[in-house]
Amino acid sequence: MLSGFLQRIPPVTKNLAGICILVWALMALVPGVDHALTRWCAMYYFSSPGYMPFQLVTYLFLHGGFTHLFFNMFALLMFGGVIERALGSQRFLFYYLACGVGAGLIQMGVAAVFVHKYTAMLPPMAAEQVVSQGWQLMQQGLTFADPTAATLNALVNTPLVGASGAIYGVLLAFGMLFPNQPVYIWFIPVPVKAKWLVVGYGVLELVYGLGGVADNVAHFAHLGGMLVGIIMILYWKKKGTFNGHWFF
């Protein structure tokens, strides 16, 4: 039964999920791999000593724990295969990565607003010290005693991981291409049309993001993935990519 299910999953969706699961298993089971992959492959703010340009892609394949991995991969397998069949494998891979990169850039853009805010609250030398020394402190599980410096250090040197931004882009595509498809959610006793599910998720992420909810979730990355997704889907619609087969 499992082998039959796996055979029905299109190749890109299957491989994306497989890579994420393999990376999580290595990080969870092999000593030292967790620290090394987080150091090099998670995404850090642009001014952080840990930042590397390629992290805009690699951060998508790391996850903070089993629950984080499970829900992302469940959504990818549930919706990704459908979208891959609709777009084709190559276009779907481009779409997925573009949503993930866009999500990371938008999250960093929002972070930049707060970095500027907290930098202005510190003397110039102190702000420079946070950026230059805060990285090493974070590697040791430490930070600054001053609350403003500690907040700035967290903004600059805390890693961003997870495929959620790309997954929200996939969810957005499903809601646009198959808006009236009923989706069953375990805590809702009746099916919900895909378009309303997407709207609901978008509103929740916006509320949580603007409300500054301290839950260690990158809400603006989720919104960023959806924003990039809607731009790409509308562009492809205009170009006739779907050959008239448009379900919106």
Side-chain angles (χ1 to χ4, degrees), residues 78-79 174 178-185 190-194 197:
M78 183 175 180
F79 299 106
F174 187 84
F178 307 97
N180 296 315
Q181 178 70 34
V183 178
Y184 293 86
I185 306 174
V190 295
V192 179
K193 288 185 177 181
L197 178 66

Side-chain angles (χ1 to χ4, degrees), residues 14 21 149 165 182 188 193 198 205 208 225 239:
K14 184 188 301 183
I21 293 169
I188 298 179
K193 288 185 177 181
V198 170
E205 292 301 321
Y208 286 143
K239 291 294 184 180

Side-chain angles (χ1 to χ4, degrees), residues 2-90:
L2 179 59
S3 61
F5 170 74
L6 293 175
Q7 289 176 358
R8 291 193 296 270
I9 302 173
V12 172
T13 300
K14 184 188 301 183
N15 287 325
L16 288 172
I19 292 170
C20 288
I21 293 169
L22 177 61
V23 169
W24 175 84
L26 289 173
M27 294 176 70
L29 300 175
V30 181
V33 172
D34 185 7
H35 177 77
L37 286 179
T38 301
R39 163 64 183 88
W40 293 104
C41 297
M43 186 166 69
Y44 294 89
Y45 186 70
F46 304 129
S47 63
S48 170
Y51 170 73
M52 301 285 182
F54 59 77
Q55 293 169 353
L56 280 167
V57 173
T58 57
Y59 89 100
L60 294 167
F61 299 96
L62 277 64
H63 289 82
F66 178 75
T67 302
H68 190 198
L69 173 78
F70 174 81
F71 283 107
N72 273 353
M73 294 306 97
F74 177 80
L76 176 59
L77 293 174
M78 183 175 180
F79 299 106
V82 178
I83 302 306
E84 182 176 347
R85 293 187 186 96
L87 298 180
S89 293
Q90 290 186 344

Side-chain angles (χ1 to χ4, degrees), residues 113-219:
V113 175
F114 291 95
V115 168
H116 176 76
K117 172 186 174 181
Y118 286 99
T119 298
M121 295 168 64
L122 294 169
M125 290 295 293
E128 292 177 8
Q129 185 182 46
V130 169
V131 174
S132 62
Q133 299 181 13
W135 166 259
Q136 293 299 329
L137 288 174
M138 293 287 279
Q139 299 306 299
Q140 302 170 43
L142 303 173
T143 190
F144 297 93
D146 178 73
T148 302
T151 301
L152 179 59
N153 189 27
L155 287 166
V156 172
N157 290 313
T158 297
L160 177 66
V161 297
S164 300
I167 298 298
Y168 269 74
V170 171
L171 180 63
L172 183 282
F174 187 84
M176 291 187 70
L177 294 175
F178 307 97
N180 296 315
Q181 178 70 34
V183 178
Y184 293 86
I185 306 174
W186 67 271
F187 55 85
I188 298 179
V190 295
V192 179
K193 288 185 177 181
K195 59 185 176 184
W196 300 124
L197 178 66
V198 170
V199 170
Y201 270 117
V203 170
L204 282 176
E205 292 301 321
L206 184 61
V207 170
Y208 286 143
L210 294 177
V213 177
D215 55 2
N216 293 321
V217 176
H219 296 290

